[in-house]
Amino acid sequence: VYSLDGLLVFGLLLVCTCAYLRKVPRLRSWLLSERRGIWGVCHKAAVIGTRLHVAVSVSCLLMAFYVLVGK
């Protein structure tokens, strides 16, 4: 997370993970019901991941290509 590349990868992984956890009913009510603090960040990341799923998936593919080939 010390470079821009690492920060972008961390952000994409956070959004994708939280969006995935939002689809699991038990975890949704347990983890993503709080809207303040660190769980609020996870809730907001899950909302971004579900609403912008096409943009997030394209960014994940581009970032994977960059990390594997570009670096």
Side-chain angles (χ1 to χ4, degrees):
V1 187
Y2 296 115
S3 65
L4 181 62
D5 301 341
L7 187 64
L8 288 175
V9 168
F10 177 75
L12 283 172
L13 287 174
L14 178 73
V15 168
C16 292
T17 303
C18 290
Y20 177 75
L21 290 177
R22 187 174 182 174
K23 298 292 182 183
V24 180
R26 278 190 190 173
L27 293 177
R28 182 179 185 177
S29 63
W30 186 55
L31 290 177
L32 300 173
S33 62
E34 190 66 36
R35 295 189 177 171
R36 287 191 222 153
I38 190 68
W39 298 119
V41 173
C42 292
H43 173 47
K44 290 174 186 174
V47 170
I48 290 170
T50 54
R51 290 187 183 170
L52 299 174
H53 57 88
V54 175
V56 170
S57 62
V58 168
S59 339
C60 284
L61 288 173
L62 290 174
M63 184 57 73
F65 181 75
Y66 173 73
V67 168
L68 290 174
V69 176
K71 267 189 162 179

